[in-house]
Amino acid sequence: MKAVTKGSGRVEPAVFHTINTLFMLFVVATTLYPFLHTIAVSFNDGSDTLAGGIYLWPRHWTMENYRAVFISGTIYHAAFISVTRTVISTVVGVFLTTMLAYTLAQPQYIFRKKIGLLFILTMYFNAGLIPNYFLIKNMGLLHNFLVYVLPGLVSAFNLIIMRTYIRGLPFSLTESAKIDGAGDFRIFWKIIFPLCTPVLATVALFIAVGSWNAWFDTFLYASSDIKLSTLQYEMMKLLGSTMSTNNDPSMLAGGQNNQVQALVTPASIRSAITIVTAVPILFVYPFLQKYFVVGLNLGSVKE
């Protein structure tokens, strides 16, 4: 009887690890396949893609899809605008969110609950598209680069994660520093901020991905100013142009752009656009991944 118990003790973990491994392999496969399929289609001939049968490897290699994406001279300036807005929004947003979360985490601050409630309300209610547009207009942010940075500097969701993480830090650290004569900003910058590395990485990733993928604000507030156009907005315009060209053969006559677009299809250009816009932000993940899970767990658990 004792031997049977020992045997079952060895079998159960083996069965669990086997099922767990098979399940994780299934999840990895279903996650990676769409991305690998998109890469294969982006390097495949557009007309051949319409025949179907492209899975993980291109059948007829071509670079015309990417040539159609990069043939426009405005694409490089739009990429510069996207990178600039992402970097500025991330750096400033993380700093302000941390500073506000530190303030709201102080138990002696009497307005912390009321201000926290105001931020939480913004997660459920908003004024709507038209009032937001007039607000941006009255603030003088139309056709202004700051429209990419100021409206989204502090997110209520990121603030809650950051505040919860700071509340989990020992309060004796702050008390000891105050006894030694340190001010609030010095305590925040020298003690609290360095201890928030995991949650800082998490919030930075949220802000960076959201800012990089945004295009609707460009459409609303800066669509007529080519100097403020972002990479994602240019990609959206290119996709719409390609679909119109393929639907109207008369547009294929003349012009270098139309000659290139004749070699691609909406499916192939969509895949190339997806890769062009996704790859840059993917390079951020390896540097932040080790902090991401820790920061999200510690910041979302209250006790």
Side-chain angles (χ1 to χ4, degrees):
M1 187 66 184
K2 191 173 182 180
V4 172
T5 304
K6 286 185 176 177
S8 60
R10 289 193 296 269
V11 169
E12 287 181 3
V15 172
F16 172 77
H17 288 304
T18 302
I19 295 176
N20 192 28
T21 302
L22 292 176
F23 177 73
M24 294 307 298
L25 288 175
F26 173 76
V27 172
V28 170
T30 54
T31 305
L32 283 181
Y33 175 74
F35 189 69
L36 297 177
H37 173 72
T38 303
I39 294 176
V41 171
S42 71
F43 283 104
N44 197 71
D45 180 76
S47 302
D48 182 68
T49 300
L50 295 178
I54 306 299
Y55 299 106
L56 297 176
W57 197 256
R59 192 162 46 218
H60 295 287
W61 280 86
T62 182
M63 294 297 292
E64 292 300 333
N65 300 323
Y66 288 95
R67 187 183 171 202
V69 171
F70 289 103
I71 196 170
S72 172
T74 60
I75 206 73
Y76 301 100
H77 181 75
F80 172 75
I81 294 295
S82 287
V83 171
T84 304
R85 70 169 289 180
T86 301
V87 172
I88 295 177
S89 297
T90 303
V91 173
V92 181
V94 166
F95 181 74
L96 292 182
T97 302
T98 311
M99 210 160 50
L100 182 59
Y102 170 71
T103 304
L104 297 181
Q106 300 306 307
Q108 70 273 17
Y109 183 49
I110 58 175
F111 297 114
R112 67 185 188 283
K113 292 184 179 179
K114 295 179 180 178
I115 296 178
L117 179 62
L118 290 178
F119 275 96
I120 292 175
L121 288 178
T122 63
M123 298 176 67
Y124 300 97
F125 306 100
N126 64 76
L129 185 62
I130 295 178
N132 275 330
Y133 177 83
F134 283 107
L135 176 64
I136 295 295
K137 180 181 179 182
N138 292 334
M139 291 176 67
L141 294 178
L142 287 181
H143 310 296
N144 190 326
F145 179 79
L146 292 178
V147 76
Y148 296 144
V149 179
L150 292 182
L153 272 182
V154 178
S155 159
F157 178 75
N158 295 336
L159 178 65
I160 292 174
I161 293 178
M162 189 74 75
R163 184 186 61 178
T164 306
Y165 184 89
I166 293 176
R167 280 179 176 174
L169 298 176
F171 186 67
S172 56
L173 290 173
T174 305
E175 287 185 323
S176 301
K178 285 186 176 180
I179 292 173
D180 292 337
D184 284 327
F185 188 77
R186 187 179 183 87
I187 294 172
F188 165 75
W189 185 246
K190 294 290 186 181
I191 299 176
I192 302 300
F193 199 79
L195 292 175
C196 293
T197 302
V199 76
L200 289 177
T202 304
V203 171
L205 190 60
F206 286 154
I207 298 176
V209 172
S211 182
W212 176 260
N213 290 330
W215 66 271
F216 196 58
D217 49 1
T218 307
F219 174 72
L220 286 178
Y221 309 126
S223 57
S224 60
D225 192 343
I226 193 64
K227 294 181 179 178
L228 293 177
S229 187
T230 58
L231 179 63
Q232 284 67 25
Y233 185 64
E234 289 297 316
M235 294 293 102
M236 188 274 293
K237 289 196 302 182
L238 177 61
L239 179 60
S241 172
T242 306
M243 297 180 69
S244 301
T245 303
N246 280 270
N247 292 332
D248 185 2
S250 63
M251 297 182 64
L252 299 179
Q256 188 181 13
N257 291 354
N258 287 338
Q259 290 177 9
V260 173
Q261 290 174 351
L263 301 175
V264 301
T265 63
S268 63
I269 199 69
R270 184 168 56 242
S271 298
I273 288 172
T274 302
I275 299 303
V276 168
T277 54
V279 166
I281 200 67
L282 287 179
F283 283 102
V284 178
Y285 281 95
F287 299 101
L288 300 179
Q289 192 274 337
K290 63 179 180 179
Y291 301 111
F292 183 75
V293 177
V294 177
L296 190 60
N297 287 336
L298 294 178
S300 58
V301 178
K302 189 173 182 180
E303 297 295 338

